[in-house]
Amino acid sequence: MRPNRKGWCPSAHRPMMSGDGLLVRIKPAYGQLSSAQIENIADLSDEFGHGLIDVTSRANLQLRGVQEAHYPALLSALKRANLVASQANQDALNLTLAPFTQTGSLGWRCAKQLYDAAADFAELPAKFGFAVDCNRTRYLHTASADIRIETDADGQLLLRCATLPAGLPSSETELLADIVMLTSWFSEQCQQLSSSIRQRMPDILNQQKLPEQWVSAAPRPETARLQAGQVRDGLYVAAAPYGQLGSADLRALASVNEVVHITTGRCLILSKLPTTEHCLITNACDPRLHIAACPGQPHCQAASIQTRALADHLISENLLPTGRDIHISGCAKGCAAATPRDLCIVGNQGQFDIVEKGCAWQAPNYTSLTDTTLLKQLKILAG
Ligand code: SF4
């Protein structure tokens, strides 16, 4: 079982303790941050954290390494900078807006309705989230979401639960009422189930069927996956290596972009790439896209290895199996990846364990490897 697993998703109002201190999540409205806000986040990360910022799969930023005693001052600073909603229930809303959603478009207007109404929503589990994916091509089809707001082939709105193939026909005027109807149904089902299985919509759908009318409209068939590189209209999609950026990276981004879009897949949409040296992934073949790594040493007291340095070294030596998903974890807590990976390399009292096809906290296939035996074993596994 995963050690010390917390059952909630952090927010700014409700941070979560991790091995390297509190995680404080910033959820940018519409996924957008101005250059001034980006610089502000970089400064706050240096002042209150350890200068590392997670880019999450749900298009949020997360300050790491915040000491509990400093958290109230950080929250006040975030509120002053308009980086967090003033009320905790507004801040609880998890909303991912599709990449390339234009200001004022249907998707934008739907997202606005949700932001405006968030303070009045009944309490939902902390991980419950919405994906607003109304453009002609859907980019959020594999993103984690409990309710998807999409359009059908004729452009008609629909609300689709989790990964069901079809959803409830809706409209802009009925959107909020329909969301309340679906979330009320979800809450009613939750009350009848034990607390251990009532976190997310898929848990409920495993137990209960939705009424037929709520699964009668299919979303547009066109889907695509966001890929690092230059895309349409001269924009760039850049990914955060190992899901993290440093405060210097944020400042470099702010120096050349008036607005930065944080989007699905731990990616950013940019008008310009930094002119100074940067760590951003801008090539879809970059092997770092397949690696999750926690902060490790020297940022986390629980870590006994330097995770990111190890990742860089293994890539430069071509020692990682091509195309496999890798997790490099400073200890068995496995903060950087909650789901199984092809290969986990886990710090263990300064040495290394390897878990194949599993999670960092599971029984290792190889244990107590030294620097030398780790490399030998990886060579064997890389084939
Ligand atoms: S997994 Fe990494 S960040 Fe989490 S407690 Fe262990 S060393 Fe720290």
Side-chain angles (χ1 to χ4, degrees), residues 41-70:
I41 292 170
D43 292 345
L44 294 173
S45 171
D46 283 340
E47 185 178 352
F48 294 100
H50 48 44
L52 285 180
I53 301 105
D54 293 332
V55 182
T56 77
S57 54
R58 282 182 168 188
N60 299 315
L61 294 182
Q62 196 161 265
L63 304 189
R64 298 199 71 102
V66 177
Q67 299 307 304
E68 279 183 282
H70 301 154

Side-chain angles (χ1 to χ4, degrees), residues 18-20 64 294-297 300-304 307 327-336:
S18 184
D20 55 336
R64 298 199 71 102
C294 75
Q297 277 190 346
C300 177
Q301 290 179 354
S304 66
T307 48
H327 179 191
I328 301 183
S329 187
C331 77
K333 194 170 176 190
C335 295

Side-chain angles (χ1 to χ4, degrees), residues 320-378:
L320 293 175
T322 315
R324 306 260 201 91
D325 287 322
I326 315 285
H327 179 191
I328 301 183
S329 187
C331 77
K333 194 170 176 190
C335 295
T339 52
R341 295 293 191 268
D342 293 316
L343 196 74
C344 302
I345 301 171
V346 185
N348 178 1
Q349 299 182 27
Q351 297 190 318
F352 307 90
D353 293 345
I354 293 180
V355 180
E356 288 187 279
K357 302 220 174 288
C359 298
W361 54 89
Q362 291 178 323
N365 301 80
Y366 308 93
T367 188
S368 302
L369 302 170
T370 63
D371 288 350
T372 311
T373 54
L374 172 71
L375 300 188
K376 273 188 190 163
Q377 191 58 51
L378 288 174

Side-chain angles (χ1 to χ4, degrees), residues 3-19:
N4 297 326
R5 186 175 181 187
K6 304 293 185 192
W8 74 83
C9 228
S11 64
H13 283 271
R14 198 170 176 222
M16 188 173 89
M17 184 55 76
S18 184

Side-chain angles (χ1 to χ4, degrees), residues 78-322:
L78 288 169
K79 285 182 183 171
R80 278 198 302 277
N82 270 336
L83 286 165
V84 55
S86 54
Q87 293 182 42
N89 54 354
Q90 286 174 299
D91 189 40
L93 176 68
N94 295 312
L95 189 161
T96 309
L97 183 60
F100 313 118
T101 298
Q102 299 290 322
T103 307
S105 65
L106 175 61
W108 187 278
R109 297 194 302 271
C110 291
K112 182 173 188 315
Q113 287 201 44
L114 281 166
Y115 285 126
D116 290 348
D120 302 323
F121 283 169
E123 192 176 352
L124 291 164
K127 294 184 179 191
F128 196 99
F130 300 86
V132 182
D133 201 8
C134 296
N135 297 333
R136 185 166 288 278
T137 300
R138 290 185 291 128
Y139 280 93
L140 302 181
H141 55 292
T142 59
S144 168
D146 298 87
I147 295 179
R148 298 173 192 281
I149 300 168
E150 300 169 328
T151 51
D152 67 13
D154 298 324
Q156 175 79 30
L157 268 184
L158 63 97
L159 301 179
R160 187 164 65 91
C161 289
T163 56
L164 293 179
L168 167 70
S170 187
S171 67
E172 281 188 82
T173 50
E174 293 163 338
L175 179 67
L176 286 180
D178 287 341
I179 284 175
V180 169
M181 184 170 74
L182 287 176
T183 53
S184 301
W185 177 87
F186 170 83
S187 298
E188 279 165 25
Q189 307 308 314
C190 284
Q191 283 169 12
Q192 294 165 22
L193 295 171
S194 93
S195 58
S196 62
I197 55 170
R198 60 189 194 197
Q199 292 287 322
R200 301 293 302 270
M201 186 67 85
D203 307 320
I204 300 301
L205 296 175
N206 280 339
Q207 312 279 330
Q208 295 289 348
K209 271 191 167 180
L210 286 172
E212 260 179 42
Q213 169 65 8
W214 296 7
V215 284
S216 60
R220 285 182 191 278
E222 303 92 341
T223 59
R225 199 164 155 253
L226 203 59
Q227 292 213 320
Q230 191 161 18
V231 289
R232 61 195 203 185
D233 304 331
L235 296 172
Y236 294 88
V237 173
Y242 317 127
Q244 279 174 357
L245 295 173
S247 52
D249 300 318
L250 290 192
R251 290 192 188 93
L253 286 169
S255 69
V256 291
N257 289 280
E258 282 178 22
V259 175
V260 170
H261 295 248
I262 319 292
T263 191
T264 186
R266 303 176 189 273
C267 287
L268 316 171
I269 299 177
L270 309 168
S271 305
K272 290 187 181 152
L273 294 175
T275 46
T276 50
E277 195 178 334
H278 63 82
C279 69
L280 294 167
I281 297 172
T282 55
N283 179 339
C285 298
D286 193 309
R288 293 176 295 172
L289 288 167
H290 295 281
I291 301 177
C294 75
Q297 277 190 346
H299 304 293
C300 177
Q301 290 179 354
S304 66
I305 60 169
Q306 294 187 21
T307 48
R308 301 182 75 178
L310 176 62
D312 288 340
H313 178 66
L314 296 178
I315 288 170
S316 68
E317 296 292 319
N318 207 16
L319 279 171
L320 293 175
T322 315

